[in-house]
């Protein structure tokens, strides 16, 4: 089976490529930009085929889809960082919405019957009221960031292309996911990186943090990519599925767990730059619809995820 991954140089895309290659029976194709950092996929050299493409450029997307003729597309390329979406809202909206539109249009115009998975996010739910926890797929969408809005638009565009053209578009909304290779701007990774830097003496022993009270529903990225594969295998086009552990933790507890893996003494300091203009206090997903459809459940304990993330930074530095 020919599988195309957009965003393969990223966190999730690189783990999905690992998963598919381990699974076997697939030819894995990926897109990269001319300026992409390739360190997440260096180990895949010779095992995957790469095409240069910017998803905002319809011509380049069309050319890739035409040459690969993928049976499945996992569309993971995005401006994926919520705080950056306030500084660069137009870039976030155009990459995420127009980029996806270019993929749908390419598949439609070439006349392929590709299964396309699109990676929505719990950020689409945004403001969640206490009586709406755990969050089901039917919860109102009240996004609180330009990123959240871009993901709602991606999600609805997926619905519209399914309805209008019968395209096989599978929509998931993943809650927080983390693990090795997570960008250093994301919370678990930024804590782990700072600890590794302090251990190596390249940073003063002060760990900068944002809002420690927020509760987030974390799943290991290696469980999430399995979920994406199962979604493409077993889920209904046009439908929407939450993917979550259902087990929220405070950011404080993430910090405490990571600190329990090190012997260095650190001072924890609030950094106003790490606070968001509007933040969601708690996210807890109800993923029973997805679990019933696919039999998926998270397998990697969160402590292991954090340990592996810290180990990743220790090796990388
Ligand atoms: O920055 P690059 O060149 O390494 O590529 C990133 C890619 N990307 C693009 N690819 C082609 N054309 C673009 N205009 C473009 N803009 C970004 O998306 C990288 O390979 C990927 C994003 O990787 P991460 O930031 O690590 O995101 P992550 O966590 O893997 O998220 C995957 C999906 C996204 O749709 C998120 O919004 C969702 O999961 O949560």
């Amino acid at each position: 089976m020919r599988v195309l991954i957009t965003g393969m140089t990223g966190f999730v895309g690189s783990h999905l490529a690992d998963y598919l290659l381990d699974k076997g029976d697939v030819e894995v194709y990926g897109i990269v930009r001319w300026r992409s950092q390739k360190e997440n996929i260096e180990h895949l050299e010779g095992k995957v085929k790469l095409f240069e493409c910017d998803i905002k450029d319809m011509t380049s997307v069309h050319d890739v889809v035409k040459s690969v003729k993928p049976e499945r597309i996992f569309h993971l390329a995005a401006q994926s960082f919520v705080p950056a979406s306030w500084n660069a809202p137009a870039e976030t909206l155009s990459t995420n919405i127009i980029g996806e539109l270019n993929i749908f249009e390419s598949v439609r115009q070439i006349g392929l019957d590709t299964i396309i998975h699109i990676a929505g996010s719990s950020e689409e739910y945004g403001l969640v009221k206490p009586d709406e926890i755990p969050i089901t797929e039917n919860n109102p969408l009240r996004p609180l960031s330009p990123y959240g809005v871009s993901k709602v638009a991606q999600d609805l565009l997926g619905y519209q292309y399914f309805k209008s053209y019968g395209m096989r578009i599978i929509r998931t909304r993943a809650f927080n996911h983390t693990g090795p290779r997570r960008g250093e701007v994301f919370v678990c990774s930024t804590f782990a990186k700072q600890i590794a830097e302090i251990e190596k003496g390249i940073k003063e022993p002060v760990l900068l943090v944002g809002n420690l009270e927020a509760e987030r529903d974390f799943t290991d990225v290696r469980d999430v990519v399995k979920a994406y594969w199962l979604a493409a295998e077993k889920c209904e086009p046009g439908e929407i599925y939450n993917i979550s552990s259902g087990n929220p933790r405070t950011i404080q507890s993430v910090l405490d767990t990571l600190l329990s893996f090190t012997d260095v003494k650190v001072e924890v300091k609030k950094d106003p730059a790490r606070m968001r203009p509007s933040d969601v206090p708690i996210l807890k997903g109800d993923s029973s619809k997805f679990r019933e459809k696919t039999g998926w459940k998270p397998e990697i304990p969160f402590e292991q995820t954090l340990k592996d993330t810290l180990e990743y930074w220790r090796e990388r530095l």
Side-chain angles (χ1 to χ4, degrees):
M1 182 187 291
R2 292 182 308 283
V3 177
L4 175 64
I5 301 176
T6 72
M8 194 195 265
T9 54
F11 168 58
V12 181
S14 64
H15 281 285
L16 179 62
D18 287 343
Y19 174 72
L20 295 182
L21 290 168
D22 276 355
K23 215 177 71 56
D25 279 345
V26 282
E27 286 169 26
V28 183
Y29 298 83
I31 64 165
V32 292
R33 287 188 282 183
W34 61 270
R35 57 153 218 221
S36 295
Q37 303 268 353
K38 299 208 186 71
E39 61 196 5
N40 284 345
I41 56 167
E42 262 163 15
H43 62 290
L44 299 177
E45 211 181 324
K47 298 181 186 159
V48 295
K49 191 149 187 240
L50 299 177
F51 288 83
E52 213 166 88
C53 167
D54 189 310
I55 57 165
K56 285 200 287 183
D57 184 324
M58 175 63 181
T59 310
S60 81
V61 176
H62 191 276
D63 285 352
V64 173
V65 173
K66 200 169 169 193
S67 18
V68 176
K69 296 202 174 46
E71 288 151 281
R72 292 205 181 150
I73 296 178
F74 291 90
H75 176 41
L76 299 168
Q79 194 302 93
S80 66
F81 187 43
V82 177
S85 76
W86 276 289
N87 303 332
E91 166 63 24
T92 304
L93 295 170
S94 64
T95 299
N96 295 2
I97 304 169
I98 304 299
E100 181 177 276
L101 180 70
N102 288 340
I103 288 167
F104 291 169
E105 273 301 313
S106 300
V107 170
R108 186 180 80 81
Q109 289 176 21
I110 296 164
L112 302 173
D113 191 26
T114 310
I115 293 179
I116 307 173
H117 169 262
I118 58 170
S121 161
S122 53
E123 293 287 335
E124 292 174 54
Y125 296 114
L127 180 74
V128 176
K129 299 180 180 164
D131 63 350
E132 293 170 344
I133 303 282
I135 305 161
T136 68
E137 290 82 356
N138 299 322
N139 215 69
L141 304 177
R142 309 180 192 103
L144 291 176
S145 65
Y147 172 79
V149 172
S150 78
K151 286 281 146 181
V152 171
Q154 278 195 249
D155 198 338
L156 295 179
L157 197 65
Y159 178 75
Q160 183 249 310
Y161 268 67
F162 162 71
K163 278 299 212 192
S164 304
Y165 304 114
M167 285 173 62
R168 296 198 287 166
I169 295 162
I170 315 277
R171 305 144 69 208
T172 58
R173 292 184 191 139
F175 284 61
N176 296 64
H177 37 292
T178 192
R181 300 186 207 143
R182 185 48 143 166
E184 61 187 271
V185 285
F186 291 84
V187 65
C188 301
S189 224
T190 187
F191 291 172
K193 183 182 181 210
Q194 290 183 70
I195 292 171
E197 284 174 335
I198 294 167
E199 285 177 342
K200 290 207 188 307
I202 51 179
K203 178 181 165 25
E204 52 169 354
V206 177
L207 203 149
L208 298 173
V209 300
N211 177 10
L212 292 177
E213 280 98 60
E215 288 183 61
R216 294 290 177 266
D217 182 338
F218 288 101
T219 304
D220 191 292
V221 63
R222 293 159 289 192
D223 280 322
V224 169
V225 298
K226 260 188 232 170
Y228 287 170
W229 177 256
L230 285 171
E233 287 271 282
K234 301 195 170 178
C235 288
E236 302 293 335
E239 282 291 311
I240 184 87
Y241 300 89
N242 281 343
I243 297 175
S244 66
S245 73
N247 186 13
R249 291 154 198 273
T250 59
I251 303 303
Q252 177 75 56
S253 79
V254 169
L255 177 64
D256 294 343
T257 307
L258 279 166
L259 287 174
S260 76
F261 299 142
T262 184
D263 294 331
V264 291
K265 292 275 162 289
V266 303
E267 181 198 338
V268 174
K269 201 169 160 187
K270 288 238 160 158
D271 174 9
R274 288 167 196 250
M275 308 298 269
R276 295 179 182 185
S278 47
D279 205 359
V280 189
I282 174 164
L283 283 175
K284 173 181 173 168
D286 178 340
S287 54
S288 45
K289 179 177 170 188
F290 181 68
R291 292 179 192 225
E292 275 157 31
K293 191 80 185 165
T294 63
W296 175 86
K297 60 176 179 357
E299 277 163 10
I300 303 173
F302 190 54
E303 287 64 30
Q304 188 63 50
T305 307
L306 291 179
K307 214 176 246 176
D308 292 348
T309 307
L310 179 57
E311 210 44 58
Y312 163 77
W313 282 109
R314 283 175 175 151
E315 278 168 28
R316 238 196 92 176
L317 290 170

